[in-house]
C-alpha cells in the first residue's frame, strides 16, 4: 500500500512580493513600498502545500540551494506536513527565487532567477518515493532545462511501469519551443493539465475541445484545460467531455498560484477515486480559495471546509 497520495516533482521558488510598486526608483535611489513579504512558490511547491492543507499525504521531489531561500522553502514545507525526503539541497546552487512587483491595479511583474531548478535532473529523482506514491505529478515543465524533454519522458514512462498515475502541468515557455520539448512526454501522461494560454501555444488551436483533441491524439489519456475565470474543460480518450464553470461571484484578491491549486484539487479528487466531473468541480473550488488570499496557498482550507463551500455555492452543469 502506498504511503503517499501524491509525489510532486518540479520547481520550487521563493517569492519576495513587494507592493505597491507603480514605478522603479531612479538609478542609485530608494523608494518605499507598503509591504515586502516572502512566500513559497513554484508549481511543485504550491501544489504540494495545497494538497497537504486539504488533507492528503504528499511528498515533494526537487532541488534547492543550501542558502537562506532554500532553508525558508525546506522549513515551510516541513511546517505544512509535506514529506521533504526527496528534496536535494545543493551546496553549489542558489535557490530559485522571484522578485514580484505588484502595482496599484494588482498587476504583477516578475524578476526571476532559475537557480537550482535549472540543474535539477533525472539523477535527482528518488524513485523510492515514487514507488511509495499513488500519483506522480510533474509541475513546471519548460522551467526545468536539465529535466525537460527526454529525461522527463523517461521518468514518466518508468512511473507508469511502476503502476503510478502520471500527471503533468506546464509553465510558460519564454523560449517558444513548446511541443518540440514536450512531445516525447505526451504518450506517457495520464492527465495533462495546462492553462488555456499554454495549451493554445502547444496545440495551435484556440477552441478548448479542439485543443484537447490535439493532446489526446498525441497519447494523453485525459486533457484538462484550465480556463481561469471560465472554469475548466475536460475531455478523455474514452469520450467523457465536461465544461465546468467556476465561482465567478468571488472577487479575486490575488491570482498567484491559482492554477497550481486547481491541480491540487483535481488530484485530491483523483486520489479519492472520483469521476472527472467531480474532480473538476472540486478543483475549481480549490482554485477559488487560492484567489481569496494573498499568496499561492494561503487561502487553501481543509477538505471538509471546501466541500461545505461547494454545497453552499452550487453550480449548474454547462
Amino acid at each position: 500500500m502506498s504511503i503517499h497520495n501524491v509525489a510532486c516533482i518540479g520547481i520550487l521558488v521563493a517569492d519576495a512580493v513587494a507592493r505597491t510598486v507603480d514605478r522603479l526608483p531612479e538609478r542609485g535611489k530608494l523608494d518605499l513600498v507598503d509591504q515586502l513579504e516572502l512566500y513559497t512558490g513554484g508549481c511543485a511547491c504550491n501544489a504540494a502545500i495545497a494538497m497537504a492543507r486539504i488533507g492528503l499525504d504528499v511528498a515533494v521531489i526537487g532541488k534547492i540551494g543550501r542558502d537562506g531561500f532554500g532553508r525558508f522553502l525546506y522549513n515551510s514545507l516541513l511546517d505544512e506536513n509535506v514529506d521533504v525526503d526527496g528534496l536535494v539541497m545543493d551546496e553549489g546552487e542558489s535557490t530559485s527565487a522571484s522578485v514580484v512587483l505588484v502595482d496599484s491595479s494588482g498587476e504583477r511583474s516578475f524578476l526571476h532567477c532559475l537557480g537550482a531548478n535549472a540543474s535539477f535532473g533525472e539523477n535527482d529523482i528518488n524513485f523510492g518515493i515514487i514507488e511509495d506514491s499513488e500519483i506522480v505529478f510533474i509541475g513546471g515543465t519548460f522551467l526545468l532545462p536539465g529535466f525537460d524533454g527526454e529525461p522527463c519522458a523517461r521518468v514518466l514512462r518508468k512511473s507508469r511501469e511502476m503502476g503510478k498515475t502520471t500527471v503533468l502541468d506546464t509553465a510558460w515557455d519564454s523560449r517558444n519551443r513548446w511541443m518540440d520539448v514536450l512531445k516525447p512526454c505526451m504518450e506517457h501522461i495520464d492527465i495533462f493539465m495546462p492553462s488555456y494560454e499554454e495549451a493554445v501555444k502547444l496545440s495551435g488551436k484556440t477552441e478548448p475541445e479542439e485543443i484537447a483533441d490535439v493532446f489526446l491524439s498525441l497519447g494523453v489519456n485525459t486533457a484538462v484545460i484550465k480556463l481561469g475565470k471560465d472554469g475548466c474543460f475536460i475531455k478523455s480518450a474514452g469520450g467523457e467531455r465536461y465544461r465546468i464553470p467556476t465561482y465567478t461571484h468571488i472577487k479575486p484578491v490575488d491570482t498567484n498560484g491559482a492554477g497550481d491549486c486547481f491541480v491540487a484539487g483535481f488530484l485530491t479528487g483523483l486520489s479519492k477515486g472520483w469521476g472527472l466531473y467531480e474532480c473538476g468541480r472540486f478543483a475549481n473550488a480549490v482554485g477559488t480559495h487560492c484567489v481569496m488570499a494573498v499568496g499561492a496557498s494561503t487561502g487553501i482550507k481543509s477538505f471538509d471546509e471546501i466541500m461545505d463551500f461547494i454545497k453552499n455555492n452550487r453550480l449548474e452543469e454547462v
Side-chain angles (χ1 to χ4, degrees):
M1 184 167 179
S2 296
I3 297 171
H4 305 299
N5 299 113
V6 184
C8 296
I9 302 172
I11 64 170
L12 301 100
V13 182
D15 286 335
V17 182
R19 66 177 71 224
T20 304
V21 183
D22 286 321
R23 69 179 189 279
L24 293 176
E26 293 178 24
R27 186 180 177 90
K29 301 294 177 64
L30 178 148
D31 277 346
L32 298 178
V33 295
D34 301 318
Q35 289 178 303
L36 180 56
E37 297 177 300
L38 189 59
Y39 293 94
T40 54
C43 304
C45 186
N46 292 342
I49 289 174
M51 283 185 278
R53 287 190 168 205
I54 292 167
L56 269 60
D57 193 312
V58 189
V60 69
I61 297 173
K63 183 182 279 191
I64 56 178
R66 197 175 290 276
D67 53 17
F69 282 153
R71 286 189 291 273
F72 165 72
L73 289 175
Y74 185 91
N75 290 327
S76 296
L77 287 160
L78 273 182
D79 289 345
E80 296 285 357
N81 297 313
V82 175
D83 186 323
V84 294
D85 286 349
L87 205 52
V88 176
M89 297 187 78
D90 191 327
E91 295 276 4
E93 296 282 0
S94 62
T95 300
S96 176
S98 294
V99 177
V100 186
L101 307 175
V102 186
D103 69 18
S104 53
S105 73
E107 185 65 37
R108 291 165 166 257
S109 301
F110 298 83
L111 299 170
H112 182 68
C113 173
L114 284 174
N117 288 330
S119 65
F120 175 77
E122 190 176 357
N123 291 335
D124 294 311
I125 300 284
N126 183 334
F127 281 97
I129 291 174
I130 290 179
E131 179 63 49
D132 287 338
S133 303
E134 300 165 2
I135 299 166
V136 175
F137 166 61
I138 296 176
T141 293
F142 301 128
L143 292 178
L144 294 162
F147 183 67
D148 290 336
E150 290 291 349
C152 180
R154 287 193 293 270
V155 170
L156 288 165
R157 183 175 64 246
K158 185 170 180 178
S159 298
R160 273 261 194 89
E161 289 169 353
M162 295 165 74
K164 312 305 173 183
T165 299
T166 57
V167 183
L168 188 140
D169 185 12
T170 56
W172 186 259
D173 183 13
S174 60
R175 286 176 282 182
N176 210 34
R177 301 154 302 157
W178 298 107
M179 197 57 82
D180 290 342
V181 171
L182 193 59
K183 193 171 183 179
C185 302
M186 298 300 275
E187 64 179 306
H188 308 297
I189 300 172
D190 289 309
I191 301 174
F192 183 44
M193 306 184 70
S195 72
Y196 174 76
E197 294 79 10
E198 292 154 4
V200 168
K201 286 288 191 178
L202 285 161
S203 67
K205 306 292 184 180
T206 56
E207 289 299 318
E209 186 156 15
E210 292 181 359
I211 291 170
D213 286 340
V214 170
F215 299 150
L216 295 175
S217 74
L218 293 171
V220 168
N221 284 344
T222 300
V224 180
I225 315 299
K226 292 175 287 187
L227 302 175
K229 63 181 177 57
D230 295 319
C232 64
F233 179 83
I234 304 171
K235 189 170 184 180
S236 74
E240 289 187 76
R241 177 190 178 279
Y242 305 103
R243 184 156 187 157
I244 308 172
T246 193
Y247 303 90
T248 53
H249 62 285
I250 302 295
K251 185 179 179 181
V253 173
D254 178 11
T255 59
N256 185 35
D260 301 327
C261 290
F262 175 96
V263 171
F266 200 96
L267 297 189
T268 297
L270 196 66
S271 73
K272 293 180 179 298
W274 293 353
L276 294 175
Y277 178 83
E278 289 75 18
C279 288
R281 183 179 62 175
F282 190 80
N284 281 341
V286 177
T288 298
H289 277 75
C290 175
V291 305
M292 291 181 187
V294 175
S297 52
T298 312
I300 306 306
K301 307 295 185 185
S302 70
F303 177 80
D304 288 342
E305 288 174 297
I306 294 170
M307 289 301 293
D308 284 342
F309 175 87
I310 291 171
K311 289 174 185 174
N312 294 322
N313 295 269
R314 293 190 181 277
L315 295 174
E316 293 182 9
E317 185 174 346
V318 174

